[in-house]
Amino acid sequence: MSGQYKYHIITFGCQMNKSDSERLASVLESMGLRAADKPEQSDVIMINSCSVRDSAESRVYGKVFNFSKFKKQKPDLIVGVTGCMPGRDKDKKILAKMKNVDLFFPTQEMIMLPKRLSEINPDLVSVSAAEHYLQIRPNYSSKFQAFIPIQTGCDHFCTYCVVPYARGREQNRSLKEILDEIKSLSFQGCKEVTLLGEIVNHYVAPDREFFSRDNIYKKNDFAKLLWEINQIEGIERIHWTGPHPIYMDEEVIDALTLPKQVNFLHLPVQSGNNEILKKMNRRHDREFYFELIKKIRKKKPEIAIGTDIIVGFCGETEKHFQDTLNLYKECEFDIAYIAQYSQRSGTAAAKAFGDDVSKAEKKRRWLELQAMMEEITLRKNQAYLDKEASVLVDNCEKGICSGNSGEMKRVYFRGDESMVGSIMAVKINKAQEWILWGEMV
Ligand code: SF4
């Protein structure tokens, strides 16, 4: 019976959520549901929510409101919300604002979805899912690129962050399971894996006996994991996100030079001022971060580096902000994801500090930093002119192929659809802030 039913998933937020949605799709398909392109064509709509900012949550409320209108025309429609909003809703205040949803559960409870759906609609046959949601085989959205979560949750409690509340404490996935998943992906033609974790470089294998005896790293399990993946035939590029600066030890820095490692590192700094870093509970200061960037560039001089920055955090003065600007200038990042601080209820910052930088001032600081980023990014991109980039093509439209270089720069060049999924050598002849243009070599 389930075969006649259709589902639609709407995903908000980070790569971890996108990866979780691939598992969600797999659970629904194992029950016999088929994907629908549009929510109005479906019988089950799942929203995978994000809590990182107020605006992200508002968009989820907006969707839930719209779908409650659909329910009037189609009373059997099942609407579910999962992800970070149910995860952090300990006092049920969020759920109270979503009266018309039928399912509301944190990501980890995805394994219960078949049972809950069949309770609502007995035509939907419950199938047994895995013991842990990360054991669910995802319904990968690409044949040649895959997200591989190696950990979920976080113990760090940065004062602004909801992740430890929404996803719980850090849980590391079995090494054997990770390696088996990647080996099977490589067998099916996957070329690039992106390892995901809240502090990916804090990975501790629960089953260390599966590390090879000849692994060149001895101390850091994450470095050891990178080495193991480097040995898997067929995998050509390894990318990971997001690390924490304090776990970038000598072995992880050395692993940046492994042959399949992409030439890019995303290393969040959040602020350039020590007082603010302390209030954020980031556990490092700006001097430590500078030294780390120097060490990384000494080891791998051409590496592109990205970061995350929050402007307008509680008590951030103009002087503090200037420290962030000059840190940015000094580190010469290739890219930054700049966020205006958004207070999240339940976090330490919401309890202990006032959200005292005005919206207008946050926006002004964001614009100033954004302008600096664009200027530096453009200058850095110009250094690629006349050089060869290695591009994993993920799209081709009207004879224009595009994909990411090893530095995670978006590259466009003339080509054809047969190139999608291949790694092509492209000589760069034009550099813009967000796009490099070139010709196939
Ligand atoms: Fe959040 Fe900090 Fe953990 Fe990152 S390290 S997930 S910012 S608490």
Side-chain angles (χ1 to χ4, degrees):
M1 282 295 267
S2 310
Q4 61 185 303
Y5 290 103
K6 289 191 175 173
Y7 73 89
H8 185 82
I9 300 174
I10 297 161
T11 308
F12 290 94
C14 62
Q15 288 170 325
M16 188 68 100
N17 264 20
K18 287 179 191 147
S19 167
D20 291 340
S21 287
E22 292 181 343
R23 284 181 162 74
L24 199 54
S26 161
V27 171
L28 294 165
E29 300 218 349
S30 70
M31 295 179 72
L33 284 91
R34 286 175 298 127
D37 291 337
K38 293 183 181 155
E40 54 270 31
Q41 297 163 344
S42 45
D43 307 282
V44 177
I45 301 175
M46 293 300 309
I47 304 172
N48 194 358
S49 66
C50 168
S51 279
V52 74
R53 274 185 278 287
D54 214 19
S55 54
E57 290 197 344
S58 300
R59 284 160 67 205
V60 173
Y61 287 124
K63 288 279 179 210
V64 168
F65 178 74
N66 287 343
F67 297 148
S68 64
K69 286 192 222 151
F70 285 11
K71 269 167 103 59
K72 286 197 184 118
Q73 294 146 21
K74 196 175 182 180
D76 293 342
L77 175 68
I78 298 173
V79 178
V81 177
T82 184
C84 288
M85 287 172 79
R88 77 183 198 93
D89 190 27
K90 309 292 178 244
D91 52 11
K92 309 268 181 256
K93 284 188 181 157
I94 296 176
L95 180 59
K97 292 191 217 165
M98 295 189 183
K99 295 209 171 55
N100 283 314
V101 299
D102 305 281
L103 294 161
F104 188 78
F105 60 92
T107 311
Q108 295 89 320
E109 288 179 22
M110 193 189 293
I111 49 173
M112 302 297 294
L113 181 59
K115 186 170 174 283
R116 291 186 184 161
L117 279 174
S118 65
E119 282 164 4
I120 300 173
N121 180 349
D123 278 355
L124 298 171
V125 182
S126 177
V127 288
S128 60
E131 273 173 39
H132 190 280
Y133 94 94
L134 286 178
Q135 289 171 337
I136 298 167
R137 187 94 186 146
N139 197 7
Y140 301 104
S141 49
S142 159
K143 284 196 169 66
F144 48 88
Q145 290 173 303
F147 291 127
I148 311 287
I150 64 166
Q151 144 200 101
T152 179
C154 180
D155 295 343
H156 261 232
F157 290 92
C158 296
T159 56
Y160 52 83
C161 180
V162 289
V163 166
Y165 309 94
R167 288 187 172 265
R169 309 304 287 259
E170 181 183 292
Q171 280 179 281
N172 290 289
R173 200 173 159 204
S174 138
L175 168 66
K176 182 170 184 311
E177 239 175 72
I178 298 169
L179 295 177
D180 284 351
E181 184 179 351
I182 299 175
K183 280 176 195 159
S184 131
L185 279 164
S186 77
F187 191 67
Q188 291 157 38
C190 179
K191 293 204 167 76
E192 181 186 84
V193 289
T194 300
L195 309 181
L196 301 176
E198 304 304 345
I199 303 186
V200 75
N201 55 342
H202 191 243
Y203 174 72
V204 180
D207 46 356
R208 288 194 166 123
E209 64 276 18
F210 290 103
F211 281 123
S212 313
R213 286 237 176 95
D214 55 348
N215 196 309
I216 61 169
Y217 299 117
K218 302 296 167 211
K219 288 186 248 152
N220 187 304
D221 280 9
F222 182 63
K224 288 192 213 171
L225 172 64
L226 293 174
W227 185 88
E228 296 288 345
I229 302 171
N230 259 270
Q231 314 311 308
I232 299 177
E233 213 180 305
I235 298 297
E236 295 185 41
R237 306 210 311 190
I238 303 168
H239 178 213
W240 33 279
T241 190
H244 194 293
I246 63 172
Y247 300 112
M248 290 297 297
D249 69 8
E250 301 299 328
E251 288 195 342
V252 179
I253 295 175
D254 190 77
L256 291 169
T257 63
L258 289 171
K260 296 178 180 177
Q261 167 68 35
V262 292
N263 195 21
F264 174 75
L265 174 68
H266 183 81
L267 192 61
V269 65
Q270 308 298 4
S271 168
N273 175 270
N274 284 342
E275 214 177 302
I276 295 295
L277 284 169
K278 199 160 181 209
K279 276 177 97 170
M280 289 176 162
N281 191 29
R282 286 295 293 173
R283 310 186 195 194
H284 64 79
D285 57 20
R286 73 184 255 134
E287 292 72 24
F288 175 89
Y289 191 88
F290 274 138
E291 279 312 303
L292 183 57
I293 295 285
K294 265 196 227 159
K295 265 195 221 168
I296 291 166
R297 289 205 167 119
K298 193 166 172 215
K299 188 65 136 181
K300 195 162 180 171
E302 303 299 322
I303 194 165
I305 300 179
T307 196
D308 289 334
I309 292 177
I310 297 172
V311 295
F313 185 66
C314 314
E316 187 190 74
T317 62
E318 180 58 28
K319 152 86 182 62
H320 297 147
F321 174 61
Q322 288 301 322
D323 284 346
T324 298
L325 285 177
N326 60 44
L327 175 131
Y328 196 99
K329 214 181 222 166
E330 192 133 339
C331 290
E332 290 218 297
F333 294 110
D334 287 77
I335 189 166
Y337 297 93
I338 307 166
Q340 298 171 44
Y341 174 64
S342 169
Q343 189 180 63
R344 315 309 303 128
S345 59
T347 58
K351 287 177 194 156
F353 314 126
D355 181 10
D356 52 1
V357 179
S358 71
K359 268 193 178 166
E361 184 55 21
K362 282 176 187 166
K363 180 89 188 279
R364 189 196 65 76
R365 290 178 194 176
W366 184 88
L367 285 169
E368 192 172 341
L369 189 50
Q370 187 79 11
M372 178 186 277
M373 169 176 73
E374 288 185 14
E375 190 192 311
I376 294 176
T377 301
L378 179 60
R379 178 157 37 83
K380 296 203 81 171
N381 283 356
Q382 281 162 347
Y384 293 96
L385 288 172
D386 295 326
K387 292 194 179 142
E388 238 178 67
S390 140
V391 181
L392 174 52
V393 182
D394 56 39
N395 194 27
C396 188
E397 274 173 57
K398 296 182 184 155
I400 302 292
C401 288
S402 57
N404 288 339
S405 71
E407 292 73 27
M408 295 293 131
K409 309 261 180 192
R410 201 74 197 151
V411 179
Y412 281 68
F413 64 99
R414 221 181 286 277
D416 62 61
E417 280 186 10
S418 68
M419 292 167 189
V420 174
S422 304
I423 296 180
M424 309 293 294
V426 178
K427 191 170 177 187
I428 304 301
N429 54 27
K430 185 176 165 191
Q432 296 173 316
E433 283 90 346
W434 308 121
I435 297 178
L436 297 174
W437 296 86
E439 272 172 26
M440 221 168 21
V441 177

